[in-house]
Amino acid sequence: MNRLVTSVLSVSAIALSTAAFANESVLKNSADPKQWVIQAGSYDNNRYSKLDQINQSNVGKLAPAWSFSTGVLRGHEGSPLVVGDVMYVHTPFPNIVYALDLNNDGKILWKYEPKQDPNVVPVMCCDTVNRGLAYADGKIFLHQADTTVVALNAQTGKVEWSVANGDPKKGETNTATVLPVKDKLLVGISGGEFGVQCHVTAYDIKSGKKIWRAYSVGPDDQILFDPEKTTSLGKPVGKDSSLKTWQGDQWKTGGGCTWGWYSYDPELNLVYYGSGNPSTWNPKQRPGDNKWSMTLFARDPDTGVAKWAYQMTPHDEWDYDGVNEVPLVDQKIDGKDRKLVVHFDRNGFGYTLDRVSGELLVAEKYDPTVNWATKVDMDRNSPTYGRPLVNAKFSTEQNGEDTNSQGICPAALGSKDQQPSAYSPKTGLFYVPTNHVCMDYEPFRVSYTPGQPYVGATLAMYPAPGGTHMGNFIAWDATKGKIVWTDQEQFSVWSGALATAGDVVFYGTLEGYLKAVDAKTGKLLYKYKTPSGIIGNVMTYQHKGKQYVAVLSGVGGWAGIGLAAGLADPHAGLGAVGGYAALSNYTALGGTLTVFALPD
């Protein structure tokens, strides 16, 4: 084992003597369905609530109970938190945080508004979104656009500590939430379109001191891999597993960003997450598999050392970031009880793996139009085991630079982007918001300059063949890799889903509708049009004996970037502006929280 990994292990072993063995506040509060204290609702990232006051029989009577304007335009991703009698609401840049009194009609208890350099905005790839806050140990944690991580006193809003996680002048920004685990706060970074060498960092919850940092690409002592003990598909990765897959020093601008979601299994003491695209988008300029971009990781949160890794899209040629959520479930596969991770990748494949060992169990398309690869090789004796079998017609590498490869499905924003799925243990199904979108992709040569875009491709996006709809909301059986039912949507479903014990599943649409559907059949049970398009994630809580459902509306994100940033060039927004041009006929900008309840 290299010296840095050994050092990290030694320091962390000493720290463990005084550290809590789980973040008790997160475990306790997330077990209480009346509250919602981290973005996914709980460590397993299932986005499931045991509340059932609102159910199939009465959800049709749902009505707005109250609303709150955030005072900010641009895209509103993530969801509010509820801790006791207080709701915490966040905004996109400038990342305002409001504490609202649920006992007093949402009265503002305090407001935190950071002062950030507006020059960070043009460095943010795909809108100025933020995926929300986290609560632990009496603190509200926010990761700002400028990469400043702040811990706010939950009662007063006072800054208890802050730390800079990156440098926007180099292209490092943030759009993601954070995850409190034990005595640490896990934090990612954005910047794959600016040639950033991306990472996950653990900070001490009490002081903000940096404990460890694990890069996605680079030498073993930077990516925190043990060549003998870290495995991929059951085999040790070996020495320099990342460096061997890059040409020269290209790993230093290699991307692999970590702006998605994080899950944690307290029993196994492992954190799960995915990494994003390699830089540049022109695959000709970076020969090799470009490990470990486009990868699912299982890491020890005490040390940062990886237990296993699985690369979904080696040598990515289409910008299929692998940052989407990694829900943890226990289900039977071939009659055997398994501890599983499930992942709906941008590349259009739904993956099911053993979360202990990283064994690949299922890899199937969750949108039938996916064509860039015919399948993932599941033959354990094959030299290409676990790899996608690329369709040469849609290979931007094989077609070459300055060649427009047409009809690639899915588009770069994937069959699903970061908008999180939900899982119901009652049905055993996942509920997945998806994009039904294809693209043309023309790579070109680009040079690296710190702080400047490092993309190297021109894109155009449009609905998948065979229809005009650009989205589906599906139910998925992750044990079999099969779609159970599908609800079509005119535009991509860019909202996170919520499943409940009332057998109702909620999601939002880009036109602005909050929808409730039957968890077993997908039948529409309720819809209400909010003031703006919904790219936020639906959540639920209970206050004074009454269940509420809440969602942020405020169109934007990658799909809504044309509206959010006032762009007209169809190739702008990395190709999304033209694909979603019709969205302006249905909604307009505006940040609003809408809270729903059954009538008294």
Side-chain angles (χ1 to χ4, degrees), residues 148-227:
T148 301
V149 184
V150 295
L152 306 174
N153 184 292
Q155 293 185 331
T156 67
K158 179 183 178 182
V159 176
E160 297 199 353
W161 58 258
S162 67
V163 61
N165 188 53
D167 183 358
K169 293 180 180 178
K170 297 179 181 178
E172 295 172 329
T173 58
N174 177 69
T175 56
T177 186
V178 298
L179 186 68
V181 173
K182 295 189 172 183
D183 59 339
K184 300 174 183 67
L185 187 71
L186 302 187
V187 178
I189 198 79
S190 301
E193 280 60 63
F194 290 82
V196 172
Q197 183 196 0
C198 298
H199 46 74
V200 170
T201 307
Y203 294 99
D204 181 83
I205 279 182
K206 291 183 178 180
S207 67
K209 179 183 178 181
K210 186 167 75 173
I211 306 299
W212 55 258
R213 172 167 287 177
Y215 289 86
S216 300
V217 303
D220 290 340
D221 60 353
Q222 292 191 28
I223 64 176
L224 301 188
F225 271 34
D226 182 322

Side-chain angles (χ1 to χ4, degrees), residues 286-441:
R286 43 173 174 78
D289 278 356
N290 309 134
K291 290 184 166 75
W292 294 93
S293 65
M294 321 299 284
T295 295
L296 292 181
F297 296 95
R299 290 190 185 271
D300 183 328
D302 299 318
T303 65
V305 175
K307 181 175 183 182
W308 58 259
Y310 168 61
Q311 189 178 40
M312 296 156 293
T313 314
H315 187 60
D316 169 48
E317 306 171 36
W318 311 270
D319 183 45
Y320 291 153
D321 287 61
V323 302
N324 293 352
E325 75 283 359
V326 192
L328 314 181
V329 295
D330 295 345
Q331 290 187 294
K332 288 184 182 293
I333 298 270
D334 296 329
K336 182 181 178 182
D337 291 326
R338 304 292 291 259
K339 294 180 180 296
L340 305 174
V341 297
V342 177
H343 175 76
F344 300 96
D345 198 65
R346 284 253 292 265
N347 70 16
F349 286 87
Y351 297 88
T352 306
L353 299 91
D354 185 295
R355 70 175 180 267
V356 180
S357 65
E359 178 186 357
L360 181 63
L361 302 171
V362 177
E364 296 290 345
K365 298 175 181 179
Y366 62 95
D367 187 320
T369 63
V370 172
N371 63 16
W372 69 276
T374 55
K375 65 177 182 178
V376 173
D377 188 351
M378 298 297 288
D379 182 356
R380 298 175 187 276
N381 298 315
S382 169
T384 57
Y385 170 53
R387 297 177 69 97
L389 302 183
V390 175
N391 186 333
K393 178 181 178 181
F394 303 112
S395 169
T396 68
E397 163 84 28
Q398 296 180 50
N399 294 339
E401 294 176 339
D402 304 317
T403 298
N404 191 23
S405 298
Q406 298 180 321
I408 302 169
C409 304
L413 43 67
S415 292
K416 191 180 85 63
D417 203 341
Q418 59 75 36
Q419 59 269 39
S421 60
Y423 170 77
S424 171
K426 293 186 69 176
T427 63
L429 299 176
F430 286 84
Y431 303 96
V432 191
T434 74
N435 312 311
H436 191 57
V437 184
C438 302
M439 69 176 173
D440 301 340
Y441 190 113

